[in-house]
Amino acid sequence: MRYGYWLPVFGGWLRNVEDERMQATWDYVSRLARRSEEIGYDLTLVAELNLNDIKGVDAPSLDAWSTAAALAAVTKRLELMVAVRPTFHQPALLAKQAANIDHIGGGGRLSLNVVSSWWADEAKKYGIHFEQHDDRYARTSEWLTVIDRIWKEDHFSFEGKYYRVEDAVMQPKPLTKPRPVIYAGGESEAAKQMISSLCDAYVMHGDDPSRVREKINDMRARRERLGLPPMQYGVAGYTVVRDSEEEATRELQRITDVRQSAAGYGNYQDWLANTKLEQRVSLEDYSVSNRGLRSGLAGTPERVAERVREFEEAGVDLLLLQCSPQLEEMERFSEAVIRHDAKRRSAS
């Protein structure tokens, strides 16, 4: 199991808690990233939104790509999984930018999390054309084809419905071979078809390990039918580690005290209207992003560690964690779960 976390580019993850003591600033996220690789974390996911999805559109949020480039220069081993939305980036230009960050980090530390945009109002505010759901995945498929080929070839041409390049040359190529890892998530049929054929890893919203196992088995079968090698699998989760179940329950009650007047509630409604989910989303899911509470990573250290093992047995390679306040709670999770897991493995 690898342990990753969402970089708090929005200043928190709780839509109904105004101040989580984690500012959307370079000072905070850089301290967090440097400390995280010291205490056992392998990866950080840097989300890309120009508006703040969690705290409301008037709240600050950090730019994903300039933040990732800066983090590559001040960290040593942390993988930087940077979210990218094809509608916001021309593929050849983004490929050049990503390759440069891969060199800054020394190779092997830059990866992409490809996201087909869902927030119509954000696109309008930033002058970006917003397409219907399946059209976004068709565009993303072309986008990924251009990215892959320009990372590997020179004097390459492509003409599709959405993109065209002629005799493209890009140097230097990424250090990571055969290419930086491409992650993607999605629950619609269009998403799963694209991911199984063009990506290297499948990342999922939080869910019960039994349900996650079903999704992994489905994706494995798709890959086998295509004659492609196995993928990596990640799942989101929100962690609450406490000395007793009673303490964990009190914290869960605090963070799920949903107020529909919260600043991010309208953005949440926009997201629901522009995604195709396999399950009905509850107001409890709204409280914490990416359905993190469904993963059940709340309770005593022993209970959370057992849940991690259940995910591992289901086929999960990577946990993408959120917590609040992040620096303090990541220290707690590291001490209670990551270091315990490392000792267990070394003993066996």
Side-chain angles (χ1 to χ4, degrees):
M1 182 66 73
R2 292 196 302 151
Y3 295 94
Y5 62 93
W6 299 65
L7 197 73
V9 296
F10 306 122
W13 305 112
L14 305 177
R15 290 190 170 94
N16 56 303
V17 176
E18 184 175 348
D19 183 6
E20 300 179 56
R21 306 199 308 277
M22 41 202 267
Q23 300 77 30
T25 63
W26 164 247
D27 178 66
Y28 186 85
V29 299
S30 61
R31 286 192 296 118
L32 183 71
R34 290 194 296 265
R35 180 57 180 160
S36 72
E37 60 182 6
E38 294 174 351
I39 60 176
Y41 289 88
D42 303 288
L43 175 152
T44 186
L45 193 168
V46 188
E48 181 188 60
L49 283 175
N50 297 302
L51 299 177
N52 194 316
D53 169 43
I54 306 297
K55 301 301 184 184
V57 297
D58 293 322
S61 61
L62 300 181
D63 171 70
W65 283 89
S66 56
T67 299
L71 287 178
V74 301
T75 56
K76 297 178 180 178
R77 66 172 190 85
L78 194 68
E79 180 180 337
L80 304 169
M81 182 204 295
V82 193
V84 57
R85 295 171 298 168
T87 48
F88 284 74
H89 300 272
Q90 286 291 331
L93 296 175
L94 190 282
K96 176 77 172 180
Q97 189 173 355
N100 199 54
I101 295 175
D102 194 45
H103 279 261
I104 293 171
R109 296 209 291 127
L110 187 280
S111 57
L112 303 186
N113 177 26
V114 180
V115 181
S116 292
S117 304
W118 57 265
W119 197 350
D121 193 50
E122 183 214 19
K124 179 176 67 177
K125 290 177 184 297
Y126 275 79
I128 301 297
H129 176 63
F130 189 80
E131 295 166 317
Q132 295 303 307
H133 182 274
D134 287 2
D135 291 333
R136 297 199 299 272
Y137 281 100
R139 174 186 291 276
T140 299
S141 294
E142 281 193 14
W143 192 92
L144 285 169
T145 298
V146 175
I147 284 274
D148 179 71
R149 291 191 61 186
I150 204 167
W151 273 343
K152 297 175 180 177
E153 306 173 32
D154 276 334
H155 301 288
F156 138 72
S157 298
F158 174 88
E159 185 169 355
K161 178 180 178 181
Y162 303 96
Y163 301 107
R164 177 180 178 179
V165 297
E166 295 183 19
D167 194 33
V169 174
M170 191 202 79
Q171 290 291 344
K173 302 295 187 191
L175 289 174
T176 306
K177 304 300 180 186
R179 69 181 188 190
V181 174
I182 296 176
Y183 300 80
E187 297 181 347
S188 69
E189 182 59 27
K192 288 184 281 192
Q193 287 182 358
M194 183 203 76
I195 294 165
S196 62
S197 61
L198 296 174
C199 299
D200 309 304
Y202 184 45
V203 288
M204 294 160 275
H205 289 302
D207 221 331
D208 185 90
S210 62
R211 181 71 184 111
V212 169
R213 184 192 300 271
E214 293 174 4
K215 295 178 181 180
I216 290 175
N217 288 341
D218 172 67
M219 193 60 69
R220 283 174 173 166
R222 292 170 186 265
R223 294 284 284 188
E224 289 175 2
R225 288 195 294 270
L226 293 168
L228 295 172
M231 304 185 82
Q232 302 174 48
Y233 297 98
V235 66
Y238 187 91
T239 66
V240 177
V241 182
R242 295 294 185 270
D243 293 334
S244 69
E245 293 292 344
E246 292 76 17
E247 289 177 275
T249 298
R250 284 197 295 272
E251 175 64 5
L252 287 172
Q253 290 171 342
R254 182 184 75 89
I255 67 178
T256 56
D257 181 15
V258 176
R259 294 178 292 109
Q260 294 189 20
S261 60
Y265 192 73
N267 312 334
Y268 165 74
Q269 293 297 323
D270 199 350
W271 174 66
L272 287 182
N274 288 293
T275 56
K276 293 184 179 179
L277 300 175
E278 293 174 341
Q279 304 177 50
R280 186 169 177 265
V281 180
S282 69
L283 282 176
E284 286 72 24
D285 292 326
Y286 154 77
S287 300
V288 172
S289 70
N290 301 95
R291 301 207 301 254
L293 291 179
R294 291 196 190 187
S295 293
L297 295 168
T300 63
E302 296 76 17
R303 175 68 192 99
V304 175
E306 175 60 30
R307 193 67 161 179
V308 170
R309 287 192 289 273
E310 291 174 16
F311 277 115
E312 191 169 19
E313 291 168 1
V316 174
D317 309 294
L318 170 68
L319 288 176
L320 289 167
L321 304 174
Q322 296 174 354
C323 52
S324 176
Q326 194 146 339
L327 189 57
E328 294 86 343
E329 292 294 327
M330 282 175 59
E331 294 271 7
R332 190 194 300 262
F333 185 87
S334 172
E335 181 65 33
V337 180
I338 297 178
R339 295 177 189 177
H340 175 79
D341 188 33
K343 291 178 183 178
R344 176 180 65 86
R345 292 177 189 279
S346 62
S348 61

